[in-house]
Amino acid sequence: MVKKIIFTIIALVMVITIVGCGSTAKKSETQISSEFDGEIRIGVVTAITGSFPLAGERTKQSVQMRCDEINENGGLLGKKVVIVVEDDQSTQTGAVNAVNKIINDNIVALIGPHLSGNVMAVDQILKNAGMPFLTGGTSPKLSELGNPYLFRIRPSDTMVAEAAAKYAVEKLGAEKVGISYNNDDFGIGGKNVIESYLKYVGIEYVAEGHNSGDKDLTGQIMKFKNANVDAIISWTHDSEVALFARQTYELNLGKPIIASAGITMQQVLDMVDSEEVEGWYSVTDFAISDESSVVQDFVKRFEAKYNVKPELYAASYYGAMTVLADAIERAGSTDPDAIRKALAETQNVQGIIGTFNCNELGDMINEAKIVQIKNKVPNVIDTVFR
């Protein structure tokens, strides 16, 4: 009988203890939720693995940084902003799988995917779902999709690639141009714009393609050398442009080179020796050496938070979250169609790489920088506008 009473007392104590812990947990949740009236979930599809893992990491960091700042200032519409991240593995199949998963996770808008080919792979899925999404894909083909839910937060290669070709002809005096391009939507899109401009101004050119993952570009480089081109425009991704830099130097090509934006990023510059890219040019959205107060303030805050310097992906997608938050505030709603409408009406919203002004094609940034690399530092020498 005494044992029975003891066991009963112990059981009651355990129940009280469990209930007490439960009450404490609920109190903590109540305290947190009292600061915000619910959540606003933003999807992020980016390359956490695959061929662009560092790009994905910077994308995720920059979006999270902007969300943290928003939440520290009361959130959006009184709600806490939360990001939901899915890995697209830098592949079209990965992008399709990631998007199919994330659109069923109560998100109100999506940031990403980044690669133009991945955007084209998921375009119809997001259009059918009525999900507004912001991408840094630059292929001119994205403007032809006719998707009212697609918003580009970097300048289109329709402007950027033409600026590279124009610089080669007008500033470098090239009468024969080599075009080195990646055989994907990004590379071919840029090549087509460059070719169109060169044909228009009557400049001869030689075009040579390669694939992502190629380990030897000497055959293509020797064709440029044998053709005696005056300048080369390289339109490709991070690993391939680093390889191109190394092998053009080894083969003593000795011609001015203008590259797409990748060569300006620190993770790419870290792949090459200084002499391999000395004097190179690039048309890019972001240069860490840009002396504008907007850029330098962002660089300081990003480095303070993550102990690493930001690059193009960080600057671009910090801006994406900034303009998305602005649209949600103006919409006064988390309804995806209301957000889409507000995004389409965006004017004069300050980002890091430029000012967001949405046109009829969903292009939101219409400016870029021309830089030249000196001692592995991209220095801004001009700004171009659409």
Side-chain angles (χ1 to χ4, degrees), residues 105-330:
D105 204 355
N106 297 317
I107 63 170
V108 302
L110 176 65
I111 293 174
H114 176 77
L115 295 178
S116 295
N118 290 359
V119 174
M120 296 180 74
V122 303
D123 167 69
Q124 201 60 44
I125 298 171
L126 291 166
K127 185 177 182 180
N128 292 342
M131 181 61 63
F133 68 110
L134 299 91
T135 178
T138 57
S139 171
K141 285 186 177 181
L142 301 188
S143 298
E144 302 169 8
L145 295 174
N147 186 344
Y149 293 91
L150 189 161
F151 296 90
R152 194 200 314 256
I153 50 87
R154 294 181 60 211
S156 167
D157 282 343
T158 302
M159 180 192 80
V160 176
E162 182 175 305
K166 192 173 183 179
Y167 196 85
V169 174
E170 294 186 359
K171 300 296 185 181
L172 302 181
E175 297 180 356
K176 190 174 188 179
V177 175
I179 308 171
S180 176
Y181 65 95
N182 194 298
N183 283 311
D184 64 2
D185 290 300
F186 164 70
I188 292 172
K191 176 191 78 99
N192 290 343
V193 171
I194 294 163
E195 284 182 340
S196 179
Y197 174 82
L198 295 177
K199 288 176 182 177
Y200 177 74
V201 295
I203 296 294
E204 188 179 355
Y205 64 88
V206 178
E208 291 292 329
H210 56 267
N211 299 314
S212 294
D214 281 357
K215 302 300 181 185
D216 186 4
L217 301 179
T218 55
Q220 293 94 321
I221 294 168
M222 287 306 300
K223 288 182 180 179
F224 295 137
K225 191 169 186 176
N226 293 336
N228 196 30
V229 299
D230 299 311
I232 296 174
I233 301 173
S234 168
W235 222 253
T236 191
H237 299 297
D238 299 3
S239 298
E240 290 71 40
V241 74
L243 176 64
F244 189 72
R246 186 161 54 253
Q247 295 187 332
T248 52
Y249 180 78
E250 291 170 352
L251 293 170
N252 194 29
L253 185 65
K255 302 293 182 179
I257 297 173
I258 307 173
S260 50
I263 194 61
T264 66
M265 293 189 291
Q266 192 59 49
Q267 61 260 38
V268 181
L269 290 169
D270 287 343
M271 298 180 192
V272 299
D273 293 331
S274 180
E275 61 271 18
E276 294 169 349
V277 292
E278 184 68 13
W280 273 42
Y281 299 90
S282 176
V283 185
T284 184
D285 336 0
F286 176 78
I288 199 167
S289 61
D290 189 332
E291 295 180 353
S292 76
S293 58
V294 170
V295 169
Q296 290 308 310
D297 176 65
F298 170 69
V299 170
K300 289 177 183 177
R301 289 186 291 110
F302 190 93
E303 191 170 11
K305 186 175 182 69
Y306 295 114
N307 198 32
V308 64
K309 293 184 185 299
E311 33 72 287
L312 174 61
Y313 297 107
S316 298
Y317 287 103
Y318 180 94
M321 188 62 229
T322 296
V323 75
L324 176 57
D326 176 78
I328 292 171
E329 286 283 7
R330 284 186 286 112

Side-chain angles (χ1 to χ4, degrees), residues 2-184:
V2 173
K3 287 184 179 180
K4 186 175 180 180
I5 292 170
I6 291 172
F7 288 145
T8 302
I9 292 170
I10 292 172
L12 285 169
V13 169
M14 290 177 65
V15 169
I16 291 167
T17 303
I18 293 169
V19 171
C21 291
S23 298
T24 302
K26 287 180 180 178
K27 183 178 179 181
S28 176
E29 290 170 7
T30 301
Q31 288 172 337
I32 293 171
S33 63
S34 67
E35 298 175 15
F36 299 102
D37 182 21
E39 293 181 345
I40 295 177
R41 295 167 69 82
I42 306 296
V44 178
V45 167
T46 189
I48 304 302
T49 60
S51 57
F52 293 92
L54 194 53
E57 180 67 13
R58 295 293 175 266
T59 298
K60 184 175 69 171
Q61 287 174 329
S62 64
V63 175
Q64 185 62 65
M65 174 176 165
R66 188 68 189 107
C67 287
D68 290 345
E69 293 169 350
I70 291 167
N71 289 332
E72 287 166 6
N73 287 279
L76 283 177
L77 308 180
K79 301 178 187 296
K80 182 178 182 180
V81 184
V82 176
I83 66 169
V84 182
V85 181
E86 289 292 339
D87 179 15
D88 71 7
Q89 304 170 345
S90 301
T91 68
Q92 293 184 15
T93 299
V96 169
N97 291 338
V99 166
N100 276 326
K101 182 177 180 181
I102 208 165
I103 60 175
N104 292 305
D105 204 355
N106 297 317
I107 63 170
V108 302
L110 176 65
I111 293 174
H114 176 77
L115 295 178
S116 295
N118 290 359
V119 174
M120 296 180 74
V122 303
D123 167 69
Q124 201 60 44
I125 298 171
L126 291 166
K127 185 177 182 180
N128 292 342
M131 181 61 63
F133 68 110
L134 299 91
T135 178
T138 57
S139 171
K141 285 186 177 181
L142 301 188
S143 298
E144 302 169 8
L145 295 174
N147 186 344
Y149 293 91
L150 189 161
F151 296 90
R152 194 200 314 256
I153 50 87
R154 294 181 60 211
S156 167
D157 282 343
T158 302
M159 180 192 80
V160 176
E162 182 175 305
K166 192 173 183 179
Y167 196 85
V169 174
E170 294 186 359
K171 300 296 185 181
L172 302 181
E175 297 180 356
K176 190 174 188 179
V177 175
I179 308 171
S180 176
Y181 65 95
N182 194 298
N183 283 311
D184 64 2

